Amino acid sequence: MAELVSLAEAVHRHVRDGDTVAIEGFTHLIPTAAGAALIRSGRTDLHLVKMTPDVVCDQLIGAGCARALTFGWGGNAGVGSLHRFRDAVENGWPRPLALDEHSHAGLVNRYVAGASGLPFAVMRGYVGTDLPAHNPTISKVTCPFTGEELTAVAALNPDVAFIHAQRADRAGNVQLWGIVGAQKEVVLAARRSIVTVEEVVDTLDRRPGDVILPSWVLSAVAVVPGGARPSYAAGYYERDNDGYRAWGETSKTRESFTAWLDGVRSS
Amino acid sequence: MAELVSLAEAVHRHVRDGDTVAIEGFTHLIPTAAGAALIRSGRTDLHLVKMTPDVVCDQLIGAGCARALTFGWGGNAGVGSLHRFRDAVENGWPRPLALDEHSHAGLVNRYVAGASGLPFAVMRGYVGTDLPAHNPTISKVTCPFTGEELTAVAALNPDVAFIHAQRADRAGNVQLWGIVGAQKEVVLAARRSIVTVEEVVDTLDRRPGDVILPSWVLSAVAVVPGGARPSYAAGYYERDNDGYRAWGETSKTRESFTAWLDGVRSS
Amino acid sequence: MDATLDELMTVTAARALTGGTCFVGIGKPSLAANLARRLHAPDLVLIYESGPIGSKPTVIPMSIGDGELATSADFVVGVAEMFNYWLQPGRFQVAFLGAAQIDRFANINTTVVGPYQAPITRLPGAGGAPEIAASCGEVMVIVQQTRRAFVERVDFRTSVGFGDGPGHRERLGLRGRGPQRVITDLGVLQPDPATCELVMTALHPGVTREQATAATGWELRFADDLQTTPLPTALELTTLRGLPLG
Amino acid sequence: MDATLDELMTVTAARALTGGTCFVGIGKPSLAANLARRLHAPDLVLIYESGPIGSKPTVIPMSIGDGELATSADFVVGVAEMFNYWLQPGRFQVAFLGAAQIDRFANINTTVVGPYQAPITRLPGAGGAPEIAASCGEVMVIVQQTRRAFVERVDFRTSVGFGDGPGHRERLGLRGRGPQRVITDLGVLQPDPATCELVMTALHPGVTREQATAATGWELRFADDLQTTPLPTALELTTLRGLPLG
């Protein structure tokens, strides 16, 4: 059952140095505040996982919290590069970053396998590309009925998953809607999961297209209004496109980034 | 794109003798009227597929329309046996019925593979049971990462799928809600699909937990109010438990069944 | 208040449900789970195979897909998601199964009596049972104890209990602990931790060892500390009888 | 009315969308698809990778996950369902891709410039592209034509066009027909049906063969019936310029 605690407390209880930490939210409900809480916690040597690393992983990478990144597409959508990600990969600053690189289809199927209690998933994917040569979590499997060769991807079961949702009830059941991404899969694949929410309500009135995550599959729920900014939370606030552009500037140099980081650490 | 036509016309256009015909609706929205239309159409040598064959398959089997049945659980829920199914298997009346027998988990994964354009699905299932020995669509596959042996089931891509839904719009987009079973999977796995609906409306106002099937994955939509009886359609009518009990009586002997069948054929 | 045997079986099952998640079937399992939820396990999460998770039905359903199971649920998933994301990884702590035949090692047959290709009696088949038996934390079986049902060896292994005996579940890679309670009209059987054989651990009031032995197709053993099933309390019976049936 | 090059590229792409299902990316693809829907292809079904199917946005999104893509959609699916049930089986007829590098056989690199382990430039990576390129009916690429982008051989094969040439897609078991149009700021390239090599089939008004050759890192061929891209009509331009941007 999920406990309702502060975000700092949730991080303190459920994240350890060296953990594989998945952060999901596919272009929506990105738990950016959780990333800042991870930075403040001092947790390090993390293996981050996110289909679209976005600003949240760029910050964690720049802060030196990550030893590795599993990802699908590492750009600042509509703006350009994730500069801290690039600086880590191209120059090893502030530390080298090992890459476990997938397509979105491949990475989401790793979550699907993890959520399903299977060691791998079958898909058509990566065929003819250079990705498998650089990634031991992509392999082949032969159909026992047709003899056809297909792609296998290894299950991913993060130690901890972070997601952001619109709301929770007092028992810690969580509801999200709009673009729901892979949040259900990552939570069900993870050993522990922490959800930040916009608000706690008495009753989760159902919405078309919503996803309910029951309290008994979650570890902690923390109320963090605006916790997805500069991403958005459908029904609460819009995507802050200027915020993404601003991050493009802030992150551009080590100096401007470090100034930002000092601000986070002292807040 | 789905055409809005009569049910008889939909069957005439899209079902051929010998076809593999899946009929879905897991304890809800069972397309029973479509089964009667299949009987009236005279189509024969069908390979029926349904996780829970229910009254609709019992009728088709008794009428001699089916050469084979792929299924998971063949009972009259809350009542007892499917007598026509038993008579066909135990006595070959009115004709022998080849069985392709699965668990629900196995059969639904055959649909999942079919819907996903894959030749098989991986699961944990059937292990230690006598089912695989009698079924060539159940096999083994080895995880290329861990070496673990898992179960593989062959994809199922029916020639035609029948489902019943609450409603459609005039463009042939379909909406269902409540217990949604495997309707999405069977439609996406099938080459052609026919949907009976309670009504056609101008706009499909979304409902919590609903499933939308766009017109462009469907072949035909036919308006058949009450088309799921004695099963039910959430929001329209309740399960007719007396109707299921009555079918238990009607189907009990070949004589009482044949009288029922004569009535269907002449209606 | 005198309890019928059916009531005694249902209450005995209900008492074994203390909380967590419960994968429910129709009939006594559904009565037992809903009874437990109204009495000692108000937070028991009921899951029905048709998709509802966290059902709180006011009327006990006749089929596993009755409408109120969905409308009263926390949420409803499709059958694929139910089996793949929820059941298979072992998220359900207790599940109920029925049986046409059950053997000494709690293997269950719901497929055929007689040879598969020429059955004497064709039964409904597997449904969700094989994977429920494999993956749920533990299984509770509710079945009438007769020589026809309690057989030395099932004609068809639809669902695995303890297979051929100790260590077999582990060798097969089955994750759940298997059947931990078989509740019959005569009493309760549980697996011997060492041999995995079902032994009678409790008899219902008034039932003799001879009756149980006579109703069992293998040489039935009795636990050293054989119990007598406690009778339902007045509250249990009143609550059970007050459950509205669909 | 004078069209900019960007506008000409967008309109050229829009004209190639005649109906059916279109898997859209951000930027020009989204502009082109929404332009087509407002003009000659009102029933075009727009799908965005983030989950919306049948989006009808009034404002052109900045990210593939903007809120209106979901609220204006016929329905929204999760990422797993999008790739497994919808994209992988080939339900999308046309898809757009971008490219940092593209080669003679329309293979695409969006991963790294330079060696993978010691990149000169780390690019964003694969995203949805490998499976889009494999499974969609056909792919349209929109890219600036420069020697840096149009290379003899891509540094990293992120998405397969025609691989090593004729028959390679078939040998790999890729179901879609691959890139059928590459729209650049200089014109349009299409694969030669016999050799699978990208050849220039149209130049934009005022662009010379020499300019195109100079901007291409392989020995560029021109179609026998080389066309001049038709200029946008006033209606196309007005509609495009009227599209509100997010």
Side-chain angles (χ1 to χ4, degrees), chain D:
Chain D
M1 230 177 329
D2 271 1
T4 66
L5 265 179
D6 277 348
E7 288 170 340
L8 179 56
M9 291 167 77
T10 300
V11 168
T12 303
R15 286 174 179 169
L17 299 171
T18 54
T21 46
C22 178
F23 198 78
V24 188
I26 291 306
K28 288 196 187 69
S30 193
L31 281 168
N34 281 290
L35 179 61
R37 213 172 56 75
R38 280 167 176 75
L39 292 174
H40 54 276
D43 294 332
L44 187 69
V45 179
L46 307 194
I47 297 102
Y48 287 81
E49 188 179 345
S50 54
I53 294 181
S55 268
K56 294 165 274 291
T58 58
V59 175
I60 307 305
M62 175 165 165
S63 107
I64 57 163
D66 276 20
E68 204 202 358
L69 296 178
T71 54
S72 72
D74 292 333
F75 58 113
V76 178
V77 300
V79 176
E81 179 176 332
M82 175 59 78
F83 281 105
N84 290 346
Y85 283 8
W86 296 90
L87 189 133
Q88 183 166 267
R91 300 185 204 281
F92 302 143
Q93 292 158 349
V94 184
F96 285 97
L97 288 178
Q101 292 182 331
I102 185 167
D103 69 19
R104 177 196 290 266
F105 292 121
N107 302 300
I108 289 173
N109 174 15
T110 55
T111 302
V112 284
V113 177
Y116 185 75
Q117 295 299 346
I120 298 163
T121 305
R122 173 66 227 195
L123 303 166
E131 288 75 23
I132 292 169
S135 296
C136 289
E138 63 180 71
V139 168
M140 204 167 343
V141 182
I142 303 186
V143 60
Q144 303 289 321
Q145 194 162 353
T146 67
R147 270 194 181 260
R148 228 171 66 165
F150 278 60
V151 296
E152 175 66 34
R153 192 179 179 81
V154 289
D155 290 355
F156 191 98
R157 210 175 265 183
T158 312
S159 307
V160 179
F162 300 98
D164 300 334
H168 200 180
R169 282 188 74 86
E170 294 72 17
R171 288 197 301 283
L172 292 171
L174 306 180
R175 294 174 161 193
R177 293 186 303 285
Q180 294 298 316
R181 263 188 194 77
V182 178
I183 297 170
T184 79
D185 51 333
L186 302 183
V188 178
L189 299 93
Q190 295 184 275
D192 180 306
T195 65
C196 292
E197 181 181 319
L198 288 176
V199 301
M200 210 83 215
T201 55
L203 291 172
H204 295 325
V207 175
T208 65
R209 292 181 180 229
E210 290 67 32
Q211 280 176 281
T213 300
T216 305
W218 68 85
E219 205 175 317
L220 183 65
R221 290 178 46 228
F222 294 84
D224 292 343
D225 59 341
L226 183 69
Q227 308 285 309
T228 300
T229 319
L231 281 173
T233 65
L235 176 63
E236 285 168 334
L237 267 191
T238 313
T239 309
L240 175 57
R241 289 174 185 174
L243 291 178
L245 303 183

Side-chain angles (χ1 to χ4, degrees), chain B residues 11 34 49 57 75 86 101 140 156 161 164 171-172 175 186 192 194 196 226 249:
Chain B
V11 169
V49 185
C57 288
R86 283 189 57 180
E101 184 161 6
K140 297 281 182 194
L156 204 163
H164 185 78
Q175 181 187 31
V186 78
R192 304 181 291 283
I194 298 171
T196 54
E249 293 305 313

Side-chain angles (χ1 to χ4, degrees), chain A residues 26-28 51 71-75 77-79 85-86 89-90 99 101-106 108-109 112 123-131 134 178-182 185 232 239 241 244-245, chain D residues 26 49-52 62-67 69-70 76-80 83-84 88 111 116-117 119-128 130-131 155-160 172-175 246:
Chain A
F26 195 82
T27 72
H28 174 216
M51 285 200 284
F71 76 109
W73 189 85
V79 179
F85 159 71
R86 283 189 59 181
V89 176
E90 295 173 5
L99 295 185
E101 182 161 5
H102 283 273
S103 66
H104 287 155
V108 81
N109 273 301
V112 168
M123 60 180 295
R124 297 179 183 284
Y126 299 105
V127 177
T129 78
D130 288 337
L131 287 156
H134 298 281
I179 289 172
V180 295
E185 286 77 11
Y232 72 107
R239 190 175 196 270
N241 289 332
Y244 277 96
R245 290 187 194 100
Chain D
I26 291 306
E49 188 179 345
S50 54
M62 175 165 165
S63 107
I64 57 163
D66 276 20
L69 296 178
V76 178
V77 300
V79 176
F83 281 105
N84 290 346
Q88 183 166 267
T111 302
Y116 185 75
Q117 295 299 346
I120 298 163
T121 305
R122 173 66 227 195
L123 303 166
E131 288 75 23
D155 290 355
F156 191 98
R157 210 175 265 183
T158 312
S159 307
V160 179
L172 292 171
L174 306 180
R175 294 174 161 193

Side-chain angles (χ1 to χ4, degrees), chain A:
Chain A
M1 303 293 283
E3 294 175 293
L4 272 80
V5 294
S6 74
L7 176 54
E9 180 63 22
V11 169
H12 176 74
R13 287 192 200 174
H14 297 292
V15 186
R16 299 281 162 270
D17 284 353
D19 272 357
T20 296
V21 175
I23 303 173
E24 280 302 340
F26 195 82
T27 72
H28 174 216
L29 294 173
I30 296 175
T32 316
L38 275 168
I39 291 174
R40 280 189 209 101
S41 76
R43 295 286 186 270
T44 189
D45 291 335
L46 304 178
H47 179 154
L48 300 177
V49 185
K50 190 168 193 310
M51 285 200 284
T52 54
D54 208 79
V55 167
V56 61
C57 289
D58 210 36
Q59 294 177 347
L60 283 158
I61 292 164
C65 304
R67 63 183 158 90
L69 175 70
T70 293
F71 76 109
W73 189 85
N76 183 342
V79 179
S81 292
L82 291 179
H83 296 290
R84 295 301 98 221
F85 159 71
R86 283 189 59 181
D87 203 10
V89 176
E90 295 173 5
N91 310 305
W93 192 93
R95 59 187 289 186
L97 184 70
L99 295 185
D100 166 33
E101 182 161 5
H102 283 273
S103 66
H104 287 155
L107 184 43
V108 81
N109 273 301
R110 296 189 65 193
Y111 289 145
V112 168
S116 303
L118 294 172
F120 75 106
V122 187
M123 60 180 295
R124 297 179 183 284
Y126 299 105
V127 177
T129 78
D130 288 337
L131 287 156
H134 298 281
N135 197 322
T137 63
I138 306 169
S139 186
K140 297 281 182 191
V141 65
T142 302
C143 174
F145 304 103
T146 64
E148 189 184 359
E149 192 174 69
L150 295 135
T151 299
V153 288
L156 204 164
N157 291 100
D159 294 306
V160 193
F162 283 91
I163 66 166
H164 186 78
Q166 277 97 341
R167 55 194 191 183
D169 66 17
R170 294 180 203 288
N173 300 296
V174 161
Q175 181 186 31
L176 56 146
W177 65 84
I179 289 172
V180 295
Q183 278 93 316
K184 179 180 271 193
E185 286 77 11
V186 79
V187 163
L188 295 182
R191 292 177 184 86
R192 304 181 292 282
S193 50
I194 298 171
V195 186
T196 54
V197 296
E198 290 297 323
E199 61 173 334
V200 168
V201 296
D202 289 327
T203 309
L204 299 177
D205 293 323
R206 299 295 306 276
R207 296 256 189 155
D210 65 0
V211 165
I212 300 289
L213 294 169
S215 179
W216 47 274
V217 299
L218 305 172
S219 308
V221 172
V223 182
V224 185
R229 295 184 192 278
S231 166
Y232 72 107
Y236 289 79
Y237 44 90
E238 300 281 307
R239 190 175 196 270
D240 178 9
N241 289 332
D242 288 338
Y244 277 96
R245 290 187 194 100
W247 180 253
E249 292 307 312
T250 301
S251 62
K252 195 166 265 170
T253 68
R254 295 176 187 175
E255 292 65 34
S256 54
F257 169 77
T258 303
W260 172 88
L261 181 60
D262 289 344
V264 168
R265 286 202 170 127
S266 62
S267 68

Side-chain angles (χ1 to χ4, degrees), chain C:
Chain C
M1 230 176 331
D2 272 1
T4 67
L5 266 177
D6 277 349
E7 287 170 341
L8 179 58
M9 291 167 75
T10 300
V11 168
T12 302
R15 288 175 178 167
L17 300 171
T18 52
T21 47
C22 177
F23 197 76
V24 189
I26 289 308
K28 287 195 189 67
S30 192
L31 280 168
N34 281 288
L35 179 61
R37 213 172 57 75
R38 279 168 178 75
L39 292 174
H40 53 276
D43 294 331
L44 187 69
V45 179
L46 307 193
I47 297 103
Y48 287 81
E49 186 179 345
S50 54
I53 293 181
S55 268
K56 293 164 275 292
T58 57
V59 174
I60 307 306
M62 174 164 166
S63 106
I64 56 163
D66 278 20
E68 205 203 356
L69 297 179
T71 53
S72 73
D74 292 334
F75 59 112
V76 178
V77 301
V79 175
E81 179 177 332
M82 175 60 78
F83 282 105
N84 290 346
Y85 283 7
W86 297 89
L87 189 133
Q88 183 167 268
R91 301 186 204 280
F92 301 143
Q93 292 158 347
V94 185
F96 285 98
L97 287 178
Q101 292 182 332
I102 185 167
D103 68 20
R104 179 194 291 265
F105 291 121
N107 301 300
I108 288 173
N109 175 17
T110 55
T111 302
V112 283
V113 177
Y116 184 76
Q117 294 299 345
I120 297 163
T121 305
R122 174 64 227 195
L123 302 166
E131 288 75 23
I132 292 170
S135 296
C136 289
E138 64 180 72
V139 168
M140 203 167 343
V141 182
I142 303 186
V143 60
Q144 302 290 320
Q145 194 163 351
T146 66
R147 269 196 181 260
R148 228 172 67 166
F150 278 58
V151 295
E152 175 66 35
R153 193 180 176 80
V154 290
D155 290 357
F156 191 99
R157 211 175 265 183
T158 312
S159 306
V160 178
F162 299 98
D164 300 334
H168 200 180
R169 283 188 74 86
E170 293 71 17
R171 289 198 301 282
L172 292 172
L174 306 180
R175 295 177 161 193
R177 293 185 305 284
Q180 294 298 319
R181 261 187 195 80
V182 179
I183 297 170
T184 79
D185 49 334
L186 302 184
V188 178
L189 299 93
Q190 294 185 275
D192 180 306
T195 65
C196 292
E197 182 181 319
L198 288 177
V199 300
M200 211 83 215
T201 54
L203 290 173
H204 295 324
V207 175
T208 64
R209 291 183 179 227
E210 291 67 33
Q211 279 175 285
T213 300
T216 304
W218 68 85
E219 205 175 317
L220 182 64
R221 288 176 49 225
F222 294 83
D224 293 341
D225 59 340
L226 182 69
Q227 308 285 309
T228 299
T229 319
L231 282 172
T233 65
L235 176 62
E236 285 169 334
L237 268 191
T238 312
T239 310
L240 176 57
R241 287 174 187 172
L243 292 177
L245 304 181

Side-chain angles (χ1 to χ4, degrees), chain B residues 77-99:
Chain B
V79 179
S81 291
L82 291 178
H83 296 292
R84 296 303 95 221
F85 160 70
R86 283 189 57 180
D87 202 10
V89 176
E90 295 174 5
N91 310 303
W93 192 91
R95 59 187 291 186
L97 184 70
L99 295 186

